[in-house]
Amino acid sequence: MESVFQEFGEATTKRDGYQLSRTLSPNISNDKLRAIFKSGNANDIKRVLKTCILKAGLQMSSGKWEGLSADEIKGWVEIYFHYWRATGELLAIQGSSVANGKSFQSSWAKIYEIWAELLQALTRGYQEHGFEAWTIPCLYVVSNQLRIFAIKADQERNTNASLGNPDDFQSYDEIDDPESQENQTLRDCCTRVNRVFNICLADRYEICSSSPDSHPESDTAIRAPLEESRKWGIYYIANLIFKIYFKLDSSSLIKNIIKAISAGRGDMPPLERFPKSQQVTFNYFQGVLLFLEENYVEAENHLTEALNLCHKDAMRSKELILTYLIPCHLLTTHTLPSQRLLEPYPRLQTLFTRLCQCIKRGDLHGFDMALEDGEEEFVKRRIYLTLERGRDIAMRNLCRKVFLAGGFEEPKEAGATPVRRTRIPVAEFAAAISLGSQEKLDNDEVECLLANMIYKVSWASPCNAQNSLV
C-alpha cells in the first residue's frame, strides 16, 4: 500500500494524471494485490487509507501538504476503499490466498459490481469533491476496466447458463428473450460510461470576472483556461462507448454521441488538439459507421485520415483500418491493393489476395468461390455485402478482355492507322461470361448484364438488342 500512495503523492505533486491513473489499475502482480488487500480490514481500512494519503503528501512536500483539500482527500479515500475491495475479489477469482493462507470464492459479476461502485465514487469526486481536470486519465483507466469486467461477467453468466447451473435462476423475460440477456452486464456498463461522457461534455468550467460586480454574461467576464475543463476527456470516453456499441451490435447509436459532440463543438477544443491515438480511434469508428451506411466516399475520407495519423508501428490498428479502407477504395476508385501494401498483414492477405486476383483476371467463378469460402469471416467483419459488389468490377475486366481480344478493324484505306473494333457481338460476351462464371447463359441474360453495367457507368457504350451488338 505504501508504494501505491507514494506514487499517488508524486502524481499529485506533479499534477500527472497518467501516473495517478496507474495507482487505480488492477493489472498488477498478485503479490502487489495481496499486499494492498492485507494493509487493512473492513473496519479500519478507510482510516488507513486517509493516513496513507496524508503521509504521502507530507513526504512529498516536506511540511504541510497543500496539494489536496480535505474534501478532495475524502473523495480519494472513498475511491481507494472500493479499489481495496476489488483487490480481494481479484485475488479470490484467480485462486490466490487472500490472507493467512485462506481463500474465498468470487465471480466476475461481483468484481464488476464493486468496480462500478469505484467508478461511481470517482465521478462523484468531480461532481461533489472538486477533482481537477488533470485527474481525467483516472476516468480512462476505470471506465475501460469496467468494460473488460462487464465482458467477462457476461461470458461467465452465459457459460453457467449453458451448463445449466442450478444456482442461476432465470426470469420469464430471460427465458422468452435469451438474446437480450446475453450482454446484460455490458449494457449496464454502457449506461454507466455514458454518464461519464455526459459529465465531461456538460462541464462548462468556471467563469472568472475581472471585477466583483461584473455580470457573467458581460464583456468583462472571462472564462477560465480551457485546459482546466473536463472536456479533454470527451473523445477517449466517446471512443470507449463506440467499442461497447459495436460489441452490442448497436453501431447505429454512435450517431447520438457524434451529434452530441458536434452540438458542443464550439465550446470545446478541436479534435486536432487531442492526442493522436484518440483522433485515430474516433476517425476509425466514424469511417466504419459511414461504411456500414454505404456512404463510401465519406467513409474513405475518415479511414484515410485515421491511417495517416496512425503510428508507424501500430500494425494491428493499421490492419483494422485497412480492413474497411480497401473495400471502400475498391468501390470508389475501382483499384486493387498492391502486394506491397498487403505484405505486412498476413490476415489481410488471407482476406483479400484471392479475391483481388480473381477481380483482376475477370474470373467470375473464382470470385464467387473466394467470396463463399471467406463468407464467415467477411460477415463477421461486416464487409461481405461491400465485397460482393466487386463482382461488377470483375465483370468489367472480363468484358474489357473481350474488347481487347476482338483486335482491329481492317483499315478502309491503305496505310491508315488500324482502329480497334467498335462493335462487338453479344455472343462473344456470352461466351466469355459463360467461361468466366462456368454457367451457360443465353443472349437475353447477357444483354441484361451488359445493360446493367452501362447503367452503373462501369463503361459507356450503347447496346443494340436488334442486331445483338454492343
Side-chain angles (χ1 to χ4, degrees):
M1 184 69 82
E2 289 183 4
S3 61
V4 171
F5 285 102
Q6 182 179 358
E7 190 168 13
F8 176 88
E10 292 175 0
T12 306
T13 303
K14 295 186 294 185
R15 298 171 67 85
D16 186 342
Y18 288 96
Q19 183 180 7
L20 181 62
S21 68
R22 289 197 293 269
T23 66
L24 291 172
S25 173
N27 301 318
I28 55 179
S29 66
N30 283 355
D31 291 338
K32 289 185 178 180
L33 286 174
R34 191 175 296 106
I36 292 170
F37 190 71
K38 291 173 66 176
S39 61
N41 56 57
N43 295 324
D44 68 347
I45 186 61
K46 289 189 177 182
R47 178 186 60 78
V48 172
L49 292 171
K50 184 175 181 179
T51 301
C52 289
I53 291 175
L54 292 172
K55 183 179 178 182
L58 291 172
Q59 286 176 346
M60 294 307 301
S61 60
S62 300
K64 185 180 178 181
W65 193 24
E66 299 179 353
L68 295 176
S69 66
D71 203 25
E72 286 178 291
I73 292 174
K74 182 180 178 182
W76 286 112
V77 167
E78 193 66 24
I79 290 166
Y80 282 103
F81 167 67
H82 295 296
Y83 180 72
W84 172 82
R85 292 174 61 205
T87 58
E89 299 297 334
L90 286 168
L91 285 169
I93 205 165
Q94 293 170 14
S96 300
S97 60
V98 177
N100 300 323
K102 298 180 180 179
S103 61
F104 57 89
Q105 290 186 343
S106 185
S107 65
W108 288 114
K110 190 171 183 179
I111 292 173
Y112 170 81
E113 290 172 4
I114 294 174
W115 206 262
E117 291 179 27
L118 194 161
L119 179 61
Q120 186 176 359
L122 184 58
T123 54
R124 196 183 301 123
Y126 293 96
Q127 295 172 319
E128 300 176 8
H129 300 296
F131 286 7
E132 296 183 45
W134 65 268
T135 63
I136 282 176
C138 294
L139 283 174
Y140 301 168
V141 170
V142 176
S143 298
N144 185 51
Q145 201 62 48
L146 186 71
R147 176 182 67 92
I148 295 171
F149 288 152
I151 293 171
K152 290 183 177 181
D154 283 328
Q155 290 173 346
E156 179 183 65
R157 171 191 170 89
N158 296 334
T159 301
N160 291 340
S162 64
L163 295 175
N165 192 331
D167 295 331
D168 295 330
F169 294 97
Q170 291 180 304
S171 67
Y172 289 113
D173 292 338
E174 291 174 332
I175 295 172
D176 293 340
D177 189 12
E179 291 185 3
S180 67
Q181 301 298 323
E182 185 177 351
N183 295 306
Q184 181 181 13
T185 313
L186 190 61
R187 293 181 188 279
D188 179 74
C189 171
C190 186
T191 302
R192 294 177 184 275
V193 177
N194 262 295
R195 290 174 191 156
V196 176
F197 175 78
N198 289 329
I199 287 173
C200 294
L201 186 66
D203 185 27
R204 292 293 179 262
Y205 47 97
E206 195 175 328
I207 297 179
C208 306
S209 62
S210 56
S211 65
D213 300 326
S214 61
H215 191 272
E217 297 180 359
S218 67
D219 295 337
T220 57
I222 304 171
R223 280 185 180 268
L226 192 57
E227 283 69 18
E228 298 178 12
S229 172
R230 292 194 297 269
K231 288 183 179 292
W232 289 104
I234 285 176
Y235 282 105
Y236 185 98
I237 301 300
N239 291 336
L240 199 58
I241 294 172
F242 294 166
K243 292 178 184 179
I244 296 173
Y245 281 154
F246 270 95
K247 181 71 175 177
L248 294 173
D249 200 19
S250 303
S251 55
S252 60
L253 296 177
I254 288 178
K255 291 180 182 179
N256 299 333
I257 302 296
I258 294 175
K259 286 179 181 177
I261 293 175
S262 299
R265 192 156 280 170
D267 196 29
M268 60 184 288
L271 178 59
E272 293 74 22
R273 290 187 61 187
F274 286 78
K276 282 190 177 181
S277 59
Q278 297 179 24
Q279 296 181 46
V280 169
T281 307
F282 189 76
N283 276 303
Y284 166 74
F285 280 114
Q286 272 196 296
V288 173
L289 179 63
L290 291 165
F291 177 91
L292 297 177
E293 293 176 345
E294 300 184 2
N295 187 349
Y296 297 114
V297 175
E298 287 298 317
E300 185 177 10
N301 292 336
H302 284 285
L303 292 169
T304 303
E305 180 71 13
L307 185 64
N308 292 337
L309 291 170
C310 208
H311 192 277
K312 61 183 180 65
D313 295 328
M315 303 305 290
R316 177 58 179 161
S317 297
K318 288 184 177 180
E319 182 180 292
L320 290 172
I321 295 168
L322 287 170
T323 300
Y324 297 94
L325 184 56
I326 288 172
C328 269
H329 204 61
L330 177 65
L331 293 189
T332 57
T333 66
H334 293 179
T335 55
L336 300 171
S338 65
Q339 189 61 34
R340 181 181 175 185
L341 175 66
L342 297 177
E343 189 175 354
Y345 313 101
R347 291 191 188 91
L348 294 185
Q349 289 185 47
T350 304
L351 283 175
F352 297 121
T353 299
R354 186 179 167 195
L355 277 174
C356 291
Q357 289 172 348
C358 294
I359 291 173
K360 190 173 183 179
R361 293 196 305 263
D363 181 0
L364 300 179
H365 178 71
F367 179 87
D368 293 338
M369 290 298 99
L371 200 63
E372 183 179 336
D373 292 342
E375 180 177 355
E376 184 177 350
E377 190 65 25
F378 295 146
V379 171
K380 179 181 176 182
R381 294 172 183 257
R382 300 179 175 91
I383 58 176
Y384 179 85
L385 295 177
T386 305
L387 290 175
E388 195 175 32
R389 298 186 181 186
R391 197 176 195 277
D392 292 338
I393 303 173
M395 175 77 76
R396 183 202 66 178
N397 290 343
L398 180 62
C399 293
R400 184 173 181 273
K401 288 186 176 184
V402 173
F403 171 72
L404 295 175
F408 297 87
E409 293 180 348
E410 293 185 4
K412 296 181 179 179
E413 298 178 2
T417 304
V419 178
R420 285 199 174 274
R421 211 171 34 154
T422 56
R423 295 185 179 184
I424 303 171
V426 172
E428 293 185 16
F429 287 110
I433 294 172
S434 296
L435 286 173
S437 62
Q438 296 187 10
E439 294 178 4
K440 183 64 177 176
L441 301 177
D442 58 34
N443 281 2
D444 289 340
E445 289 178 291
V446 173
E447 286 177 8
C448 182
L449 287 172
L450 296 177
N452 227 10
M453 297 289 288
I454 294 169
Y455 172 75
K456 292 178 180 179
V457 202
S458 292
W459 41 289
S461 176
C463 186
N464 190 331
Q466 185 176 358
N467 298 322
S468 296
L469 293 172
V470 175

